[in-house]
């Protein structure tokens, strides 16, 4: 188990180095570009297999206990250790990251975005995977920061070199926002480590803030929270996200929405809730307020983009929907209750599955029609995907309905549990305020349903017209890349205990100060 977790984290990094080296004679094949893309599929497939074996070997009877741990001294002077481990909170995120990266590599093998060297593309995707997996596996504050930052440069280049229109401004906006947030976050992490005498996240969580004064906790939560909120992204620190998603290639959007946004909310749960509970209690009402504003703002922005004549970009609309969905995650965290935090973690996974599928589908539509502009796609009588490409239209409608939180699909449980958590927040929090936040969040679910149904009506419905060049329906490679996401969306919706059985004991222990 120790080897498996270390392999999951390190193998993509080694694969990235190998991708840049000349291929051995026997593996070059007839097409060097296809050979390096095949290398990407192989490495990400091996990492996914190792993650699944790790999940199968995980002790599901004790998900609150750190398992597959590695603890090696790295910088003795600062007591910084290479400390890895996984529990019921991080394990689903590790598997989700490995799955989405493998599906992106598989998709890219057949549909590589236009840009420079495929070698560089594969290497960047693998470095991005390694940094994301390390973020969810490390148990040292400084290592967490290094892993957190490791993903920024690969995503910057994926947007700047393989992106679409206005890719350079979008890439610069992405890197500047996230780097500035990270500088502030580093100061907060150093403050905790120096004041408590350790950077070990397990020891700090067990101490539960008892070694930190209330003022230190407040300052630490403010500093770390800003960095995490930028990555989440929380309103009003979200403005880099729509531009980045609109310009990014399809696989860049899938990885950005599916796994990178989860790094911010994971930091709230893994670091701030257990290590600085008094500071979190001080800022929880403000976090909840920003969260519900984000829910409403994201939904209203989507409604504005979806209306006829607005020239709204479909990728941009889904990016704004992510602001709303991540608002539910932040609301659940702000309640500081097991119900709310479990809902936040469930919503994290659901958002990764559903929004990853949506970005795959919108990318396919843009490839077929040459645009993601809603007015152009709708035309005079509607894009009529149901008639032209029934499987593509049906799958888009399925993903949209899952995104609006239909009961029986994955999107429902996270939103419901976060609202339940807001109904009865943790002791010491203002219940009337959280009841107000709950009501606003519930109204946001109605707005989400409104804009998603408008998109389905405009893009999927309409009169089928004869076309000189018929558009292809879902291809075999697309079916292979998208089916796992659709199947897991249904599975998580019908059998939520698969996830909640892992997260709940770990969350209970986390909120109880390391006591089961």
């Amino acid at each position: 188990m120790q080897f498996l977790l270390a392999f999951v984290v390190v193998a993509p990094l080694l694969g990235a180095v190998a991708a840049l080296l000349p291929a051995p004679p026997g593996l070059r094949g007839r097409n060097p570009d296809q050979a390096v893309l095949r290398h990407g599929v192989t490495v990400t497939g091996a990492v996914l297999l190792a993650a699944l074996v790790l999940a199968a070997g995980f002790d599901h009877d004790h998900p609150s206990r750190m398992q597959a741990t590695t603890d090696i001294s790295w910088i003795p002077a600062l007591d910084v250790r290479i400390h890895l481990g996984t529990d019921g909170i991080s394990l689903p995120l590790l598997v989700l990251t490995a799955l989405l990266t493998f599906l992106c590599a598989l998709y890219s093998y057949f549909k590589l975005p236009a840009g420079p060297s495929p070698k560089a593309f594969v290497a960047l995707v693998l470095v991005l995977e390694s940094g994301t997996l390390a973020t969810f596996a490390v148990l040292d504050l400084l290592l967490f920061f290094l892993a957190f930052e490791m993903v920024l440069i690969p995503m910057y280049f994926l947007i700047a070199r393989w992106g679409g229109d206005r890719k350079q401004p979008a890439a610069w906006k992405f890197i500047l926002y996230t780097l500035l947030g990270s500088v502030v976050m580093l100061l907060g992490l150093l403050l905790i480590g120096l004041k408590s005498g350790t950077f070990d996240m397990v020891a700090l969580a067990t101490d539960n803030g008892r070694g930190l004064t209330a003022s230190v906790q407040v300052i630490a939560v403010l500093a770390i929270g800003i960095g995490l909120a930028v990555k989440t992204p929380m309103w009003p620190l979200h403005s880099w996200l729509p531009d980045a998603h609109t310009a990014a290639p399809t696989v860049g959007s899938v990885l950005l929405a599916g796994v990178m946004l989860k790094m911010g909310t994971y930091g709230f749960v893994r670091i701030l809730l257990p290590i600085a509970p008094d500071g979190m209690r001080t800022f929880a009402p403000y976090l909840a307020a920003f969260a519900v504003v984000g829910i409403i703002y994201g939904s209203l922005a989507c409604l504005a983009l979806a209306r006829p004549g607005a020239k709204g970009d479909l990728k941009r609309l889904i990016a704004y929907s992510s602001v709303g969905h991540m608002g539910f995650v932040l609301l659940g965290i702000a309640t500081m209750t097991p119900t709310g935090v479990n809902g936040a973690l469930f919503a994290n996974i659901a958002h990764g599955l559903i929004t990853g599928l949506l970005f795959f589908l919108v990318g396919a539509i843009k490839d077929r029609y040459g645009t993601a502009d809603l007015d152009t796609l709708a035309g005079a009588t509607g894009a009529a995907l149901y008639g032209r490409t029934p499987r593509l239209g049906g799958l888009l409608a399925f993903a949209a309905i899952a995104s609006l939180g239909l009961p029986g699909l994955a999107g429902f449980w996270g939103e419901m549990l976060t609202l339940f958590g807001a109904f009865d927040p943790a002791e010491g929090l203002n219940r009337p305020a959280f009841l107000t936040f709950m009501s606003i969040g519930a109204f946001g679910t109605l707005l989400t349903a409104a804009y998603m149904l408008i998109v389905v009506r405009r893009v999927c419905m309409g009169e089928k017209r004869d076309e000189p060049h018929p558009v292809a329906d879902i291809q075999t490679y697309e079916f292979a890349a998208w089916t796992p996401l659709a199947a897991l969306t249904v599975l998580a919706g019908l059998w939520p205990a698969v996830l909640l059985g892992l997260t709940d004991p770990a969350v209970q222990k986390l909120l109880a100060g390391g006591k089961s």
Side-chain angles (χ1 to χ4, degrees):
M1 293 285 283
Q2 289 175 310
F3 170 78
L4 278 175
L5 184 58
F7 176 83
V8 163
V9 172
V10 175
L13 201 56
L14 298 177
V17 174
L20 296 174
L21 298 175
L27 297 177
R28 286 175 189 166
R30 296 180 181 177
N31 188 334
D33 290 349
Q34 288 300 106
V36 75
L37 292 172
R38 186 167 60 247
H39 168 79
V41 175
T42 303
V43 174
T44 55
V47 171
L48 174 60
L49 180 62
L52 292 174
V53 174
L54 180 68
F58 187 81
D59 185 357
H60 292 263
D61 293 330
H62 301 92
S64 62
R65 179 168 56 83
M66 280 295 170
Q67 302 181 35
T69 54
T70 299
D71 193 359
I72 304 169
S73 179
W74 184 35
I75 307 176
L78 296 176
D79 193 29
V80 178
R81 311 182 69 81
I82 299 176
H83 193 182
L84 305 177
T86 185
D87 63 357
I89 293 172
S90 57
L91 183 64
L93 290 166
L94 288 169
V95 175
L96 175 69
T97 301
L99 173 65
L100 281 175
T101 313
F102 169 71
L103 297 180
C104 285
L106 181 65
Y107 185 83
S108 300
Y109 180 80
F110 296 95
K111 192 71 178 178
L112 182 69
S117 164
K119 278 191 171 188
F121 177 83
V122 171
L124 289 170
V125 169
L126 290 173
V127 171
L128 179 65
E129 179 182 29
S130 182
T132 310
L133 289 166
T135 302
F136 299 138
V138 297
L139 297 172
D140 183 277
L141 289 179
L142 290 187
L143 276 185
F144 176 87
F145 176 78
L146 293 176
F148 198 82
E149 295 302 286
M150 184 176 166
V151 303
L152 301 185
I153 300 303
M155 183 53 71
Y156 167 80
F157 281 109
L158 285 174
I159 296 171
R161 304 302 298 276
W162 284 269
D165 297 336
R166 295 187 56 78
K167 58 187 178 183
Q168 292 291 345
W172 273 110
K173 197 171 185 180
F174 162 76
I175 200 75
L176 288 176
Y177 263 77
T178 49
L179 278 178
L180 287 173
S182 297
V183 169
V184 181
M185 184 177 78
L186 177 60
L187 297 177
L189 295 173
L190 290 174
L191 177 65
I192 288 178
L194 296 175
K195 288 294 184 180
S196 62
T198 181
F199 290 97
D200 188 270
M201 291 159 66
V202 176
L204 287 166
T206 304
D207 189 58
N208 201 221
R210 287 182 285 272
L212 301 171
T213 64
S215 58
V216 168
Q217 289 191 38
V218 168
I219 295 170
V221 168
L222 180 61
I224 298 170
I226 288 173
L228 297 175
V230 170
K231 187 69 72 74
T232 297
M234 180 186 78
W235 180 92
L237 304 173
H238 69 283
S239 59
W240 62 268
L241 183 72
D243 291 340
H245 269 310
T246 305
T250 297
V251 295
S253 292
V254 171
L255 293 174
L256 181 58
V259 296
M260 278 187 64
L261 302 190
K262 313 299 173 282
M263 295 164 64
T265 51
Y266 174 78
F268 276 103
V269 175
R270 178 64 75 196
I271 298 174
L272 294 186
L273 278 178
I275 295 175
D278 294 336
M280 270 299 292
R281 199 168 285 108
T282 300
F283 283 105
Y286 303 102
L287 179 63
F290 283 126
V292 296
V293 170
I295 292 170
I296 301 300
Y297 172 83
S299 299
L300 292 177
C302 290
L303 281 171
L305 289 169
R307 75 176 191 274
K311 305 298 289 182
D313 187 282
L314 196 49
K315 287 187 74 175
R316 195 173 188 86
L317 184 146
I318 296 171
Y320 272 111
S321 79
S322 291
V323 176
H325 288 305
M326 298 313 287
F328 280 102
V329 177
L330 290 172
L331 177 61
I333 293 169
T335 66
M336 299 184 69
T337 62
T339 302
V341 176
N342 276 305
L345 294 171
F346 199 103
N348 250 349
I349 301 297
H351 179 265
L353 296 171
I354 297 167
T355 308
L357 178 58
L358 277 170
F359 275 117
F360 268 134
L361 292 165
V362 174
I365 292 171
K366 189 172 183 179
D367 288 338
R368 285 161 169 78
Y369 290 95
T371 182
D373 179 77
L374 265 171
D375 289 336
T376 305
L377 288 173
T381 59
L385 287 184
Y386 289 154
R388 297 176 185 173
T389 53
R391 287 181 292 177
L392 182 60
L395 195 53
L396 178 64
F398 166 81
I401 290 171
S403 184
L404 64 83
L406 184 75
L409 298 175
F412 170 74
W413 294 104
E415 293 181 2
M416 185 193 72
L417 289 171
T418 57
L419 295 177
F420 277 1
F423 180 77
D424 189 16
E427 187 178 350
L429 298 180
N430 188 328
R431 190 170 185 234
F434 273 84
L435 288 174
T436 304
F437 299 146
M438 181 196 74
S439 303
I440 297 172
F443 178 65
T445 62
L446 300 179
L447 295 178
T448 304
Y451 69 73
M452 279 299 180
L453 292 176
I454 289 172
V455 167
V456 170
R457 178 175 59 82
R458 296 193 67 201
V459 177
C460 296
M461 299 180 182
E463 181 183 346
K464 181 184 176 183
R465 293 169 290 178
D466 293 331
E467 297 176 281
H469 304 289
V471 176
D473 208 340
I474 294 179
Q475 305 295 298
T476 303
Y477 71 93
E478 293 172 328
F479 183 80
W482 303 342
T483 300
L485 300 179
L488 288 172
T489 298
V490 175
L491 176 65
L494 296 178
W495 194 14
V498 173
L499 274 178
L500 295 176
L502 280 173
T503 61
D504 185 52
V507 168
Q508 297 275 2
K509 181 178 179 179
L510 204 71
L511 295 177
K515 301 172 184 176
S516 297

